[in-house]
């Protein structure tokens, strides 16, 4: 299965069987920041944004004081799992990023998708990749 298939069929799929209810953007990036696959709506990320995310996975809490910058937008960092999951909130939407052994799985949402639904979609795929040694 190609990485693009994982994005299209597992991240950008209908959530909980509700037609049309899906993430607004998603991607899978390597730990080096290289995009393996992404949705057409995934924003261009700057090198310093990727570096900030990677630093927060290595040193949890570094993004909390300044915020999470993603695609030029600032997200408030909210409760996550140190070293494993970063969650951010911006207005009526947000972002979930989960780290696997070799990749970062990104999911971006806007209402009516809830933070919990985004977390479920992103973390389920990342957990599968972890189980596969990826």
């Amino acid at each position: 299965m190609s990485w693009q298939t994982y994005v299209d069929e597992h991240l950008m799929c209908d959530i909980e069987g509700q037609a049309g209810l899906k993430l607004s953007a998603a991607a899978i990036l390597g730990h080096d920041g290289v995009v393996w696959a992404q949705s057409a709506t995934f924003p261009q990320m700057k090198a310093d944004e990727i570096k900030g995310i990677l630093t927060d996975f290595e040193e949890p809490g570094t993004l909390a004081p300044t915020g999470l910058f993603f695609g030029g937008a600032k997200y408030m960092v909210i409760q996550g799992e140190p070293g494993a999951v970063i969650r951010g909130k911006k207005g009526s939407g947000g972002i979930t990023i989960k780290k696997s052994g070799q990749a970062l799985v990104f999911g971006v949402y806007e209402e009516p998708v809830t933070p919990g639904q985004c977390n479920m979609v992103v973390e389920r795929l990342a957990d599968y990749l972890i189980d596969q040694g990826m």
Side-chain angles (χ1 to χ4, degrees):
M1 188 179 317
S2 77
W3 291 112
Q4 192 60 51
T5 303
Y6 282 108
V7 170
D8 296 342
E9 296 181 6
H10 297 282
L11 293 174
M12 296 300 293
C13 59
D14 289 338
I15 297 173
E16 299 173 349
Q18 297 181 47
L21 185 65
K22 55 182 69 186
L23 299 178
S24 54
I28 302 171
L29 281 70
H31 287 182
D32 57 3
V34 173
V35 175
W36 293 1
Q38 65 184 19
S39 65
T41 53
F42 193 76
Q44 181 70 38
M45 291 183 66
K46 298 178 180 89
D48 59 332
E49 293 173 338
I50 295 169
K51 184 177 185 294
I53 290 166
L54 290 169
T55 299
D56 195 77
F57 277 119
E58 297 304 316
E59 303 166 31
T62 57
L63 288 178
T66 59
L68 163 65
F69 288 87
F70 170 75
K74 182 178 179 179
Y75 290 74
M76 179 178 64
V77 177
I78 55 175
Q79 159 271 331
E81 297 168 32
V85 180
I86 298 170
R87 296 186 181 105
K89 184 92 173 113
K90 179 180 181 290
S92 62
I95 185 169
T96 301
I97 309 163
K98 180 154 184 177
K99 182 180 179 184
S100 73
Q102 299 176 24
L104 302 174
V105 180
F106 286 75
V108 182
Y109 68 93
E110 291 292 336
E111 285 184 344
V113 175
T114 67
Q117 289 169 320
C118 180
N119 296 343
M120 179 192 64
V121 170
V122 170
E123 294 178 34
R124 183 172 43 202
L125 178 58
D127 288 343
Y128 171 78
L129 295 178
I130 292 166
D131 290 346
Q132 299 304 307
M134 303 291 293

